[in-house]
Amino acid sequence: MHFARTAPPARRTLDRRVKQVVRWGTSHALPRTAVALGARRGDLQGRLVAQMSNGTSAELFTLLDEIRGKGPVFLSKLGAVVASHEAVRETLANPDVEAGRFVPPDSVLARIGAWSEIDVLHPVRPPSLLAVEPPQHTRYRKLVTKVFSARAVAQLKDRTQQIADELVAAIPAGEPGDLIASYCALLPVTVICEILGVPPGERHRVLELGEAAAPSLDLGLPWREFRRVESALATFDRWLTGHLDRLRAQPGDDLLSQLVTAQEDGAGLTDQEVKSTAGLVLAAGFETTVNLLGNGIALLAADPAQRALLRERPDLWDNAVNEILRYDPPVLLTGRMTVRRTTIAGAGVPAGRLVSVALAGANRDPDVFPRPHVFDVTRDNARDHLSFGAGRHYCLGASLARMEGAIGLRTLFERFPAVELRPGARRRPTRILRGYGTLPAVARTR
Ligand code: HEM
């Protein structure tokens, strides 16, 4: 007797659609409803998530102060929030609190989630570095760190300066334009594409794909946006598979070719692991740094006194970048789940809680940063911000991002000491990632 091994195409399409609806339901519709209900009842975690998409900066930071004022861990009906420097640092280092989980392990929702999974690249689903924990995480991280060493980043400094010079030279003095489109978006994508051996002709594609996939970090997407994001991720996945095949056939001297070769030595990563890591590094490599540059330009353009300080003392640029990261972080918060009962900053937290880890709250903690709501490029301990996270998932690209931020901002402001913002600045619609989508300005040489 002969049994058909695969379902007919119509059945497969139906299966795919059902799974997509279930994925959306468990990871977006349910949390969205819970957050909206919580926010309506005044729950601080619900209000925080709502504020991240609709609120002004002042409202957001006032709310974070209020949450921090409740104690080291705020237990809400929805989960928990940490917003003090100590509690954020401890949460991210705590082995009982794991990344990559949105529902309690072994719950019905976890089983439904596993059933509806698809094998497409996603920044917060395994085997992404951001979604796995030791021992798997330790193995990936060791390999990637080897390839992504501080020495490798230092070697990119001259090239980054050259790219920044070329981009700044193309900005017309005294004419209105959008600095995100002409500068902030282009610098990081050009640098990361060189690191990862992406040919110049394909960079605009990477930029478009990254932009379309950026909301994938957010929980609670509406159905249409969720479908758009999944489709962008699937296109990114196909493009990356082709790119890795090309590098395997003809390795260059870029870091990604090294990662692929490391894989072929036997002790390295599987195909899926290399793809996931490359995808994350590629997307994280510009989706966040564009925000650092845009937020920095907006802050400095509005503050002639701080600009004057930087003109007198260019050695302050590295510190200024840390202060920008502290004051207006490109990643507002990250998420974790307690997999067993634990203690954070002396407070007990039950198992199975979804924890909102407010990096932006830690950065305004008055116990660590005196006068936290003042932007001050001379601040002594600006470097103690937690905008790159902490613990085992600490940002792999932190030194690259700092280098790009300092070179990018200094080059722009040295060429154009007066950047005049024009009306129409708009934040990007993402919630977790925070930055400008448009920054209209006139750049003047005097
Ligand atoms: C201003 C720019 C950047 C900011 C604010 C930033 C922020 C962060 C944060 C907060 C995390 C930790 C997330 C968590 O714990 O859940 C992280 C992780 C990560 N970042 Fe960045 N990042 C930036 C630039 C970069 C760049 C340029 C790269 C590319 C090399 C990069 C690659 C990564 C990777 C691979 C991880 C995952 C590390 C792990 O899970 O072990 N980031 N980043």
Side-chain angles (χ1 to χ4, degrees), residues 296-305 307 413 419 421:
I297 293 173
L299 280 167
L300 290 171
D303 198 332
R307 281 205 314 273
F413 280 99
V419 171
L421 295 182

Side-chain angles (χ1 to χ4, degrees), residues 92 129-130 137 141 148 192 280-281 284-286 288-289 292 325 330-331 334-336 359 386-390 392-398 400-401 404:
L92 295 177
L129 259 179
L130 271 176
H137 178 264
R141 177 98 191 187
F148 232 86
I192 200 74
L280 178 66
V281 167
F286 64 89
T288 45
T289 314
L292 163 61
L325 286 162
V331 182
T334 182
R336 292 290 191 271
L359 307 173
L386 296 180
S387 294
F388 291 120
R392 56 198 179 274
H393 290 279
Y394 180 77
C395 178
L396 190 74
L400 176 63
E404 281 183 60

Side-chain angles (χ1 to χ4, degrees), residues 90 94 96 341-349:
E90 278 198 20
N94 188 327
D96 301 333
R341 192 182 159 71
T342 192
T343 305
I344 296 170
V349 189

Side-chain angles (χ1 to χ4, degrees), residues 171-172 174-182 419-422 438-443:
I171 299 175
E175 284 178 29
D178 175 12
L179 287 178
I180 299 296
S182 64
V419 171
E420 197 182 291
L421 295 182
R422 287 291 169 96
T438 324
L439 203 54
V442 177

